[in-house]
Amino acid sequence: MTDVHILGVGMTRFGRHPDSDASDLGAEALLEAIADAEIDARAVEAAYCGHVFQGMVTGQRILAQVGLAGLPLTNVENACSSGATAIREASLAIRAGEHDVVVAIGTEHLTSRFRGALTPDPSDPEAAVGATMPGVYAMRARRYMEEFGMTREQLALIPVKNKGNAARNPLAHFRTPITVEEVLESRPIADPLNLHDCSPVTDGAAAVVVMSDRAAGRFANGRTVRLAASALRSGSVDVEPTSMTFEPLTWATARDAYEKAGIGPDDIDLAEVHDCFSIAEVLRVEGLGLFEQGSYPTAVERGEADIGGRLPINPSGGLIGKGHPLGGTGVAQVVEVVRQLRGEVGDRQVEGAKVGVAHCRGGKAVGIEGAACTVQVLVR
Amino acid sequence: MLEVETAVSFRPGELEVDSSGAGHLLGSRCASCGAHFFPVRQACAGCLGTDLEAVRLSTTGTLYTFSIVRQSTPEFEVPYALGYVDFSEGVRIMGQISGCDLEDIWIGMQLSLSVEPFGEDEDGNQLSGYRFRPTEAGSGGGS
C-alpha cells in the first residue's frame, strides 16, 4: 500500500472576513495549496471539504470558484474535526489506490453564522437544559482543579502561552500577547473560565494537497512531508460515568495513530492540539500521552510547552490564539505542522522538528465523552 | 394559576411529569447486563443487547462537577448553575441547579430532581422541565 504525502499547503489569514464567505476563503486556501505544491491544477483528481455551518454543497461552491468543478467532491461534517476528517478521507482515497492527487479543504465563515457561546445541536437533551460548550469545559476545569490542585493562575498560563505564540504568527486572529492578570480580569464566561480562556469566533480556511508515492515522486518539490497516520474515532457511550479529567477518546485515537505511524509519544517534537478552551489543552496533551496526567499545569509553568521548551504545544497560537473557524481548524493544524517540519515559520520555528502531531476533536452529544477525534502524525 | 393541570413536560421522552407536578427522568435498562442509560437508547453500549426496557431513574444523586454559566443562548437567562449529577444506577445527567445561592454549590453535594417551569411552547403555554435542588436533610427520596 502506498504512503501518503503532503506536497502543498495553504491557509487564509484567520480572523474576521466581513467581505468574504466560506467558499471565497476555501478557494483562496486551495489555490495557495496547489501553487505551493507546484502542480498544475489539472493534476487534482478528487476533493474533500470539511465545514460545519456553511450549508449545502460548500465544497462544490469552492471548486466552482477555482475551475475544478467536476471532480468527485465529498462534503464532510464532523463538528470541529470536520476539516481533519476531510484530510483523513483524502488519505484513505490515496491509500485505497483510487486516486494519486487529492485535495482536502476546511473552511468556515463563523462570524456570519454564530455569536457568543457555541452549543450542542438544539435537539440534544443537554442543549435543552442549558449546555454551552464553555459550560461543559468549565465543568471539566473545575473537576480537574479539585482532583489535581491546579490553580486558576496555572490555567491562565495556557492562553498567555498561546496568544504569545499567535503574536508571532502573521495569519493568527490575535496578534497581541496577554498577561495572566488580563486572563483573570477578562469577562467571566462560565466559571472558572473567562473570555481569554476561550477560542474566538473566527473566519478562515486551509487546504492541503495529498499524494501517493507515485505522484509524490513525479511532483517532488523538495518540501514533502509524510502523513504517517491519520486516525479517527467517535466517542463511545459511557456504561458507567467516567472521569471527566482524562480523555479516553483522545487516548484511543492517539494509540491508533501512534501504532500506524510506528512511533510513540517520546518521538514527538511538537504538537498542535485542540485547545478550544484553556482546560482543553491540558486534557488533550495528557490524553495524547505527551504529559503525565495531572502534570501539565506545572510543566507549562516551567516553560516545557513553550517554543524552545521540551515539547512545544500549539506553536501556531492554537485555537485560542490563531482562532477557531470550526471546519478550517483541523486543516490549519496540519498546515502548521507541515510548515514547522519544513522549517518555514520564522520566529516561531521549533528547531530541528522531525515529527509533529495534530490533534483535533469536537462536538458534544448526551452520554458520550466527545463526538469526533482525529490524530494525525506527520514526519519529515 | 392552573400550573398543575397544565403541566406539560418540555421533553416527554426524557422527563415524565405526573398530575401532582412531580416527575421522573426516563432512561433505559439493559435486560441482559443491567446497565442503565440516559437518555433512552435502542441498544446497550456495554453488551450490545437490544432488549432494553424503559425505566424511571432515581431522583437523588451526587454533584460530580458544576459551573456558573454567564453567557448562553437567548432562551436561557444568565447566570445559572449547570452541573453533572451522578445517580446510583450509574448514569450521569446534566441539569441546572436551583434552590440555593450560586456560591453555595459544591462538588459532592446531594441533589434531588425538581420539576419546575421551563420555558414555553410555540403557543405560549408553560412547559415543565427539570432542575436539581439541594436535598433537604432527612427528606430521603426527594420526590
Side-chain angles (χ1 to χ4, degrees), chain A residues 9 57 63-64 71 122 124 129 132 182 184 206 248 254 280 289 315 318 333-334 337 360:
Chain A
V9 296
V57 299
L63 293 191
L71 296 182
D124 192 84
V129 297
T132 64
E182 286 174 289
L184 300 182
Q333 290 178 322
V334 169
V337 175
C360 197

Side-chain angles (χ1 to χ4, degrees), chain A residues 54-65:
Chain A
Q54 305 308 312
M56 276 188 282
V57 299
T58 293
Q60 283 85 341
R61 284 186 275 129
I62 293 169
L63 293 191
Q65 284 209 39

Side-chain angles (χ1 to χ4, degrees), chain A residues 9-32:
Chain A
V9 296
M11 176 182 159
T12 67
R13 180 180 63 78
F14 275 17
R16 290 178 174 277
H17 286 278
D19 301 324
S20 310
D21 65 19
S23 60
D24 298 330
L25 296 169
E28 180 187 332
L30 176 57
L31 287 176
E32 187 190 354

Side-chain angles (χ1 to χ4, degrees), chain A residues 44-60:
Chain A
V44 177
E45 298 168 25
Y48 293 84
C49 177
H51 68 91
V52 182
F53 292 119
Q54 305 308 312
M56 276 188 282
V57 299
T58 293
Q60 283 85 341

Side-chain angles (χ1 to χ4, degrees), chain A residues 115-117 119 122-132 134-136 138-140 142-143 146-147 187-192 195 237-245 364 366-368, chain B residues 10-11 14 33 35-39 41 44-47 63-73 75-76 80 82-84 86-87 89-96 107-108 118 130:
Chain A
R115 218 167 258 249
T119 60
S123 67
D124 192 84
E126 293 186 340
V129 297
T132 64
V136 169
M139 287 194 274
R140 301 182 74 176
R142 188 181 301 276
R143 187 73 200 187
E146 172 102 355
E147 287 182 23
R187 182 161 56 88
I189 301 295
D191 304 355
L195 186 62
V237 169
D238 292 339
V239 176
E240 285 285 330
T242 54
S243 166
M244 284 175 62
T245 59
K364 177 82 184 86
V366 67
I368 63 175
Chain B
F10 77 141
R11 293 173 71 96
E14 285 135 34
C33 73
H36 283 77
F37 301 94
F38 175 84
R41 302 288 185 192
C44 175
C47 71
L63 185 62
Y64 175 76
T65 187
F66 69 99
S67 173
I68 311 303
V69 176
R70 299 183 187 278
Q71 178 178 344
S72 189
T73 53
E75 308 92 282
F76 296 99
Y80 56 88
L82 192 65
Y84 271 115
D86 287 345
F87 291 87
E89 294 93 337
V91 292
R92 178 175 294 156
I93 299 176
M94 183 192 283
Q96 292 184 27
I107 288 174
F118 210 100
Y130 68 91

Side-chain angles (χ1 to χ4, degrees), chain B residues 1 35 64 67 84 91 105 110 113 116 118 135:
Chain B
M1 294 291 288
Y64 175 76
S67 173
Y84 271 115
V91 292
I105 298 170
Q110 296 298 300
L113 184 73
E116 301 181 4
F118 210 100
T135 304

Side-chain angles (χ1 to χ4, degrees), chain A residues 55-376:
Chain A
M56 276 188 282
V57 299
T58 293
Q60 283 85 341
R61 284 186 275 129
I62 293 169
L63 293 191
Q65 284 209 39
V66 301
L68 287 174
L71 296 182
L73 180 283
T74 307
N75 289 284
V76 177
E77 187 276 305
N78 235 351
C80 303
S81 296
S82 298
T85 306
I87 293 179
R88 172 181 154 87
E89 291 300 315
S91 77
L92 294 179
I94 300 281
R95 285 190 206 281
E98 186 72 16
H99 297 296
D100 287 301
V101 181
V102 182
V103 295
I105 311 149
T107 188
E108 205 79 38
H109 198 271
L110 198 55
T111 58
S112 60
R113 308 283 167 142
F114 234 96
R115 218 167 258 249
L118 205 59
T119 60
D121 188 78
S123 67
D124 192 84
E126 293 186 340
V129 297
T132 64
M133 293 311 285
V136 169
Y137 279 89
M139 287 194 274
R140 301 182 74 176
R142 188 181 301 276
R143 187 73 200 187
Y144 191 98
M145 292 166 99
E146 172 102 355
E147 287 182 23
F148 297 106
M150 176 180 69
T151 65
R152 184 63 190 84
E153 287 74 17
Q154 285 178 321
L155 187 58
L157 288 170
I158 291 169
V160 168
K161 168 178 71 71
N162 292 355
K163 285 193 171 166
N165 291 348
R168 307 189 208 176
N169 183 351
L171 298 177
H173 192 149
F174 294 118
R175 303 297 317 283
T176 311
I178 55 167
T179 63
V180 167
E181 291 67 35
E182 286 174 289
V183 178
L184 300 182
E185 287 163 14
S186 61
R187 182 161 56 88
I189 301 295
D191 304 355
L193 302 181
N194 293 346
L195 186 62
H196 276 309
D197 291 289
C198 305
S199 53
V201 174
T202 302
D203 306 322
V208 298
V209 180
V210 300
M211 298 192 193
S212 64
D213 290 336
R214 186 168 51 187
R218 181 177 157 210
F219 295 114
N221 60 13
R223 299 195 309 286
T224 301
V225 168
R226 187 163 59 90
L227 180 59
S230 182
L232 168 71
R233 280 197 179 230
S234 57
S236 53
V237 169
D238 292 339
V239 176
E240 285 285 330
T242 54
S243 166
M244 284 175 62
T245 59
F246 185 74
E247 298 193 330
L249 174 59
T250 291
W251 173 235
T253 314
R255 216 174 36 209
D256 290 347
Y258 298 159
E259 194 181 309
K260 264 200 187 89
I263 65 153
D266 292 344
D267 300 314
I268 294 164
D269 299 315
L270 72 107
E272 288 284 315
V273 306
H274 199 84
D275 60 324
C276 43
F277 301 94
S278 52
I279 182 63
E281 182 167 302
V282 180
L283 302 170
R284 263 98 241 217
V285 298
E286 294 182 0
L288 286 164
L290 303 178
F291 292 84
E292 270 181 44
Q293 205 191 0
S295 76
Y296 189 62
T298 50
V300 170
E301 227 168 15
R302 288 196 296 264
E304 289 183 28
D306 291 347
I307 295 167
R310 177 175 77 77
L311 179 48
I313 302 295
N314 285 324
S316 72
L319 282 58
I320 288 175
K322 186 178 68 213
H324 184 22
L326 314 180
T329 290
V331 182
Q333 290 178 322
V334 169
V335 170
E336 173 71 11
V337 175
V338 166
R339 287 177 173 163
Q340 285 279 356
L341 298 182
R342 288 172 171 180
E344 294 176 346
V345 292
D347 64 356
R348 68 175 193 282
Q349 182 66 48
V350 176
E351 292 304 328
K354 296 269 183 279
V355 178
V357 161
H359 162 279
C360 197
R361 59 175 271 167
K364 177 82 184 86
V366 67
I368 63 175
E369 175 221 340
C373 184
T374 53
V375 175
Q376 324 223 28

